[in-house]
Amino acid sequence: DGIVVATDYRDIIGEDETASAVSFPYSSLNDSFLLGLRPNEICLVAAGSGTGKTTFVKEIAYHLHQQGEAVGLIMLEESNKRSLLSLTGIHMNRNLTQDRSDVSDEEIVEAFDDLFGEGRNPVYLLDHWGNSDVDVICQRIEFMAKSLSLKWIVLDHISLLCTQMGGNGGFGSERIMIDYAMTRLASLVRACGIGLILVSHVKRPEGNSGHESGGQPVRLNHLRGSSSLGQLSDSVIALNVDSDEPDSDLRHVHVLKNRYTGMTGYCCTLKYNRETGRLMEEELSHLFETEQEEEEQNAESSERQPQEVA
């Protein structure tokens, strides 16, 4: 059982699987991974606490949805309402989770309907009610893949998943739980043919300077809890705080592992816009800010012009 002969693959050997049809929202990452994300793979995103991991994966989820892909979200650190409000904010280019003063409730509902309403690709979420048992989560992922035909699932984050399942009894316990969870998830990804975007925390490096202050860039051996996080993931992407300006909104993206092409190292710099809530490539961020300023200036100019008298 399971033994095959090479000639069984003759009909599919000529099919081109080099370039992915599903891209990242960031051109530099597409270059590193030959045009983007692939099913049957785990893409791990790692960074220090509060440095933008969740914002980063939400940008990816929104981009997948805009490409016509059905997406599943398992966001263990926040409510489903907050997750959907964030995605709606991305759609509106407004930071709705921080400031809604210039947006009405009706405008938010209108944008929500435009994003998720009738005729749009579905986005499914797990209403976990605080339950993050590994086996239960894996069952729900399998249901999303087989019954709902989802190809892309975001799980944020595995550290919380294992901690709440009993991995808080010491480093050894956490390592065992992460090993178990990663083995289950890796098998599930291959069996169901899905792409899993997985978030992980990192352990604090030695010394006084943590990753959050830009003291040290994230390395593979900084992944928290177990080496299986790096070993069983097909790609590992790290977000690093700017070491010269740790309080800035810049995040440097480094590829730590790339099973498909082998290309690793610095990839690009992203900039977080506090007004829009968007995390964009720095060059595009400057362009977007310029366009916003021009629109505001045009609007002010129109208001100052005298009204034509009939």
Side-chain angles (χ1 to χ4, degrees), residues 8 161 179 186 210 266:
D8 291 343
L161 177 66
D179 285 345
Y266 170 77

Side-chain angles (χ1 to χ4, degrees), residues 59-95:
E59 287 279 3
I60 294 177
Y62 174 77
H63 186 72
L64 288 171
H65 181 263
Q66 293 299 102
Q67 291 182 89
E69 301 291 328
V71 181
L73 299 178
I74 302 175
M75 314 297 284
L76 299 179
E77 279 195 313
E78 63 184 21
S79 67
N80 286 338
K81 178 182 177 181
R82 184 177 178 85
S83 298
L84 292 172
L85 190 62
S86 297
L87 291 175
T88 305
I90 291 175
H91 194 58
M92 299 177 71
N93 285 309
R94 293 287 187 274
N95 193 352

Side-chain angles (χ1 to χ4, degrees), residues 180-199:
Y180 174 74
M182 284 300 295
T183 302
R184 287 290 316 271
L185 290 171
S187 299
L188 198 58
V189 164
R190 270 67 176 184
C192 298
I194 60 174
L196 178 65
I197 299 148
L198 182 64
V199 175

